[in-house]
Amino acid sequence: MDKELQVVGFRIGRETFGVPISLVREIVRVPSITSVPNAPDYIEGVINLRGRIIPVVDLRKRFHEIVGEPNKKNRIVVVELENRLIGLMVNSASEVLRIPPSEIEAPQDVFQEGELNYITGVGKLRGRLIILLDLNKILQRGELRRLDDVAESIDAVPAGTRER
């Protein structure tokens, strides 16, 4: 029997998304975010997480969702991609979902070819649909390098001058 897929579930708008638990380092409340000039609109800025400067991508903006006022449920899912930490801003996150392989539909069975290439599948779990994401495709290599540049430029600023 195949092992269940374990994903960390989070919400954007009314939908539930999942990323492999192996990529998630932690889930944190939204701290103070330092904005970065000239960054794309979906890059919220950077945060200082225990001394590490981490860029934050607002997945809600990346998926063209309407972003309402911040609330207490908003979270940053800290993931590791290609040996770098990246924060993903979501409406809420908390649960680890276990999805049997037999309950996962391949993306080509659901979407047109190339339409949404960042979706690895759609899982069915207790009457809910969970959209499974490939973070490497959501954040293309050029964007990942740009996030590195953003974090490094902020890291180079003396600590006392970071906050506005």
Side-chain angles (χ1 to χ4, degrees), residues 42 62 81-82 84 86 117-118 134-147:
Y42 59 86
R62 190 75 168 100
L81 283 178
E82 298 181 6
R84 57 174 69 90
I86 299 169
N117 68 348
Y118 55 82
D134 180 342
L135 293 177
N136 283 308
K137 290 198 174 124
I138 291 173
L139 302 169
Q140 285 90 22
R141 297 216 185 300
E143 292 172 320
L144 288 173
R145 273 195 297 280
R146 196 164 176 190
L147 289 174

Side-chain angles (χ1 to χ4, degrees), residues 3-73:
K3 257 178 89 166
E4 292 178 319
L5 176 66
Q6 291 189 47
V7 297
V8 172
F10 56 86
R11 293 188 72 85
I12 297 174
R14 297 187 327 248
E15 307 307 327
T16 301
F17 294 86
V19 295
I21 196 168
S22 60
L23 297 179
V24 177
R25 295 297 158 252
E26 61 186 299
I27 298 171
V28 297
R29 292 181 191 273
V30 180
S32 172
I33 298 177
T34 302
S35 62
V36 178
N38 300 322
D41 70 325
Y42 59 86
I43 295 180
E44 207 55 30
V46 292
I47 60 172
N48 182 341
L49 188 63
R50 291 184 295 286
R52 290 190 72 178
I53 303 299
I54 298 173
V56 176
V57 173
D58 193 329
L59 278 187
R60 302 167 304 176
K61 290 179 183 175
R62 190 75 168 100
F63 291 165
H64 307 291
E65 280 289 322
I66 295 169
V67 178
E69 289 297 310
N71 66 50
K72 292 187 287 196
K73 288 185 174 183

Side-chain angles (χ1 to χ4, degrees), residues 116-152:
L116 298 168
N117 68 348
Y118 55 82
I119 295 177
T120 61
V122 177
K124 297 177 279 192
L125 187 66
R126 294 186 295 277
R128 294 166 51 196
L129 294 179
I130 293 90
I131 300 169
L132 305 173
L133 300 175
D134 180 342
L135 293 177
N136 283 308
K137 290 198 174 124
I138 291 173
L139 302 169
Q140 285 90 22
R141 297 216 185 300
E143 292 172 320
L144 288 173
R145 273 195 297 280
R146 196 164 176 190
L147 289 174
D148 277 348
D149 294 344
V150 163
E152 286 170 17

Side-chain angles (χ1 to χ4, degrees), residues 79-103:
V79 297
E80 186 172 339
L81 283 178
E82 298 181 6
N83 296 317
R84 57 174 69 90
L85 293 178
I86 299 169
L88 305 174
M89 175 92 75
V90 298
N91 287 353
S92 63
S94 62
E95 54 193 334
V96 174
L97 305 170
R98 290 172 170 77
I99 306 172
S102 62
E103 294 299 306

